[in-house]
Amino acid sequence: MKIGIGGDHHGYGLKETLKKFIEESTDHETVDFGAHSSDAVDYPGVAFEVAEAVSEDKVDRGVLICGTGLGVAIAANKYPGIRAATTHDTYSAERAQLSNNAQIITLGAQVIGPEAAKKVVEAYLNVEWSGGSQRKVDQIVDKESQFLDQNFKDAAKSSC
């Protein structure tokens, strides 16, 4: 699998640790979307880039890191079709994939240490969606489609 990884300056150190871990400990490769240093970077842009890459099948899954993991999750979830879940334990990481078909997990560098984060990422990458909770995921996808359709109709009306 190809894993998109990124974060802001708060997540830079953990991103580098997890990137190395993924490349050295798994059969997966990473695509680094930044930050590329500890210089200040706003997390929404990085989260949008990873979400877009997942959405366009340029990467199979994503891992995003900021201070808490919450900001990157909120930003990534704004991208149509994306389900990003904040995870700080192995059970949640597995369930993010198995129950929710989350294409992206998020972590907080100020919440979780590097060794625990490695275990979380490993747990997430070691499971595959097999249709668990399909009915619930379909409800989320359907609601998102309704909002997108309505916004498209509203935009078309206003441009006439």
Side-chain angles (χ1 to χ4, degrees):
M1 263 191 301
K2 196 179 281 189
I3 311 302
I5 191 166
D8 67 2
H9 53 289
H10 296 292
Y12 171 71
L14 185 57
K15 178 193 65 95
E16 291 298 308
T17 297
L18 292 174
K19 183 172 73 170
K20 183 177 178 182
F21 170 75
I22 292 167
E23 291 172 351
E24 293 179 355
S25 303
T26 72
D27 293 331
H28 310 305
E29 64 178 286
T30 62
V31 177
D32 188 341
F33 289 87
H36 300 291
S37 74
S38 59
D39 294 340
V41 172
D42 293 340
Y43 64 79
V46 176
F48 297 151
E49 286 186 49
V50 172
E52 181 177 1
V54 169
S55 180
E56 294 178 355
D57 294 324
K58 294 177 181 173
V59 297
D60 301 295
R61 294 195 201 169
V63 175
L64 287 167
I65 305 121
C66 67
T68 62
L70 300 173
V72 287
I74 292 167
N77 280 314
K78 296 299 180 191
Y79 204 91
I82 292 299
R83 288 173 303 283
T86 303
T87 58
H88 290 117
D89 61 81
T90 57
Y91 181 74
S92 296
E94 289 173 350
R95 297 319 308 171
Q97 179 62 17
L98 294 173
S99 294
N100 301 295
N101 195 14
Q103 309 102 316
I104 298 172
I105 61 167
T106 72
L107 299 146
Q110 296 169 344
V111 177
I112 190 170
E115 293 308 311
K118 289 176 188 177
K119 291 179 193 302
V120 167
V121 168
E122 182 178 44
Y124 172 67
L125 296 178
N126 282 338
V127 294
E128 292 287 331
W129 166 255
S130 61
S133 301
Q134 183 68 55
R135 184 181 81 250
K136 296 171 189 171
V137 172
D138 288 344
Q139 291 172 39
I140 295 167
V141 171
D142 290 346
K143 181 53 77 176
E144 181 179 53
S145 293
Q146 289 173 9
F147 283 124
L148 292 173
D149 289 345
Q150 187 59 48
N151 285 336
F152 179 74
K153 289 175 187 173
D154 291 346
K157 285 180 189 176
S158 67
S159 67
C160 293

